[in-house]
Each structure stands twice: as structure tokens, then as C-alpha cells.
Amino acid sequence: MNIILLGPPGAGKGTQAKKLIELLAIPQISTGDMLRAAVAEKTPLGLEAKAFMEAGKLVPDGVVIGLVKERLAKPDCAPGFMLDGFPRTVGQAESLDAMLDSMSLTIDHVVLLEVDDEELVLRITGRRTCGACGAIYHLKYSPPPQPDTCSCGKKELVQRADDNEQTVRQRLATYHEQTAPLISYYEKRSLVRSVAGGGMGPNEVFELVKQKIGR
Ligand code: AP5
């Protein structure tokens, strides 16, 4: 099964992806995670991406498309894959179509997570992520088992550099302007499975996602 997870920042793409990859046994391809790894390693690509990410803007299409192309060619994607945070512009979606055509692959579902902007700001500013295993928490909605400690045992809960309110509002503006047009792009092919995920917890959202993809 080949899936795209679409939705604004903080809608729960990462949270749902972690549940779905377990259910479906397919890899999560998160362009945000790949870019953050490149920034942390200070690679040339990371150095180019850093300023865009910290400003809440999109990294140029050419950079991200190259990353995804390389990743989709890896053997673990053969049984299927889940794209989290890609595509994010119509240009990226068109490039993805070309990539998939050349591999004789198609997308089965575009899962669209919809949440109001004000709830998204609260979710993102309260997010903490484990630097060791990548688990995602929220100080109020999904707290770690012990303060400042992940369930993996590491005391490495960190706040992302782009998770302050000012940058979050810019990221939301970027989403509405550049990424939301993808909804009609995929609706024309009847691929969009919308889940209204506001006001309910991650497990309830997961139940709805499973229904929408027939699992
Ligand atoms: P990226 O890492 O993709 O971030 P994003 O799309 O802004 O999404 P987030 O990771 O912030 O949120 P999420 O939807 O995964 O939510 P989560 O599950 O963590 O991108 C970061 C940057 O990289 C971009 O701004 C851009 O610069 C660049 N980039 C990435 N991809 C790119 C591309 N393709 N092209 C160009 N540039 C690109 O949940 C959020 C919080 O809410 C957590 O604390 C969680 O615990 C909590 N939560 C989750 N679900 C619920 C729920 N149901 N109820 C209550 N709380 C919940």
C-alpha cells in the first residue's frame, strides 16, 4: 500500500505515521525528519535547508525531490511506503507522479488530517520529541510516562527549533498557500480520505484513519 499523509503542521502526521507503519509494515518517509538529520549533520544540503526551516518556509523543491527519489529507490519501499510531509507543492506532486510512473507504481490513498489552526498552535508549541528514539509527546495531551523522560528510558526530550509560536504561524500560512492546493489535485483522482482530527486523541484519530483506508 502506497500512502501520502497530508495536513497542516501539527495535524498529527508523524503521530499517525508511527501507528500506520506498525500496522502496515511499510517504511515512513518523512522529508521533515530527513532534512532535520541533514541539518544536525551539517551536510551541504542541511546547511542550505536550515534557514528555510527556521523561518517556517519550504525548502526548495529541487532539494526535497532529490531526497525522496533516492529514498523511494531503496529495497525496503518495495512492499509499499508512507510519505509524510511530501509532496507539499504542486511541483513536488508532479515530480512524484513522474517518479512513480517510471517505477510503475501508483498512490492508493491520500490521508488528509484536518485540524483548526488555533488547536494546531497549541499542539505544536507543546510538542516534545525524543532525541534518541524519535517518539513524539505533548506536554498536556500526550505526556511522557515520567517528566522529561521518554518511554525508551532516555532523558532526551527536545523542542524543535521551528516549534515556537511565531514560526508555527508562518508554517501555517505556508501550508494554506502552497500545500492546501494539493487537496484538489488529489481529489480530482478520488484519492483523498479526509479525517477531521480536531478535539480527539491520537487513538481515536487512528481508528478513523484505519476505516478510511479499509483496514
Ligand atoms: P515537517 O517535519 O514535515 O513538519 P510539519 O509538516 O510542519 O509537521 P509537524 O511535524 O510539525 O507536525 P505533524 O503533523 O507531524 O504532527 P505531530 O504528529 O508531530 O517539516 C518541517 C519543515 O521542514 C517545514 O516547515 C519545511 O521547512 C521543511 N520541509 C519538510 N518537508 C518539506 C517538503 N516536502 N518540501 C519543502 N520543505 C519541507 O503532532 C504534533 C503535536 O500534537 C505532538 O506534540 C503530538 O503529541 C500532538 N498530537 C498529535 N495528535 C494529537 C491529537 N489527536 N490530539 C492532541 N494532540 C495530538
Side-chain angles (χ1 to χ4, degrees):
M1 196 182 275
N2 302 326
I3 299 181
I4 293 173
L5 276 179
L6 186 63
K13 301 182 296 294
T15 301
Q16 296 303 319
K18 299 223 171 339
K19 294 176 182 291
L20 281 166
I21 57 173
E22 214 168 287
L23 177 77
L24 302 170
I26 56 175
Q28 172 192 6
I29 301 176
S30 160
T31 43
D33 287 349
M34 290 157 95
L35 290 168
R36 277 185 290 281
V39 170
E41 286 162 23
K42 297 194 169 69
T43 64
L45 189 151
L47 293 175
E48 184 182 349
K50 188 171 189 273
F52 291 100
M53 296 173 78
E54 288 183 354
K57 304 268 173 69
L58 294 183
V59 173
D61 281 359
V63 174
V64 187
I65 290 165
L67 275 179
V68 173
K69 201 168 186 179
E70 222 172 84
R71 183 65 187 86
L72 282 178
K74 299 231 161 108
D76 65 331
C77 293
F81 53 81
M82 180 163 347
L83 289 166
D84 162 7
F86 182 92
R88 248 174 156 103
T89 62
V90 171
Q92 291 181 16
E94 288 169 347
S95 295
L96 176 64
D97 285 343
M99 268 181 239
L100 296 179
D101 271 355
S102 72
M103 301 163 91
S104 303
L105 296 173
T106 52
I107 294 294
D108 299 297
H109 304 286
V110 176
V111 176
L112 171 65
L113 299 173
E114 296 181 293
V115 180
D116 289 345
D117 282 9
E118 291 313 308
E119 186 173 341
L120 293 170
V121 173
L122 291 177
R123 283 191 188 186
I124 295 183
T125 50
R127 170 169 49 196
R128 297 294 181 272
T129 309
C130 177
C133 75
I136 302 168
Y137 295 99
H138 188 281
L139 293 178
K140 183 171 167 198
Y141 307 131
S142 185
Q146 288 172 44
D148 300 325
T149 308
C150 181
S151 60
C152 76
K154 298 279 167 45
K155 279 188 180 285
E156 289 188 32
L157 297 188
V158 291
Q159 185 169 29
R160 271 169 43 178
D162 59 348
D163 276 357
N164 59 80
E165 182 168 348
Q166 190 189 352
T167 312
V168 171
R169 293 204 182 271
Q170 176 57 54
R171 283 160 61 197
L172 286 169
T174 303
Y175 172 80
H176 291 300
E177 189 188 321
Q178 293 182 264
T179 307
L182 292 183
I183 300 169
S184 58
Y185 184 91
Y186 287 114
E187 264 171 353
K188 286 183 193 134
R189 295 190 219 162
S190 306
L191 287 175
V192 177
R193 323 286 177 239
S194 297
V195 173
M200 61 178 95
N203 292 336
E204 288 167 275
V205 174
F206 188 49
E207 290 307 313
L208 294 178
V209 170
K210 281 195 292 186
Q211 278 174 24
K212 295 278 179 172
I213 62 168
R215 297 302 288 244

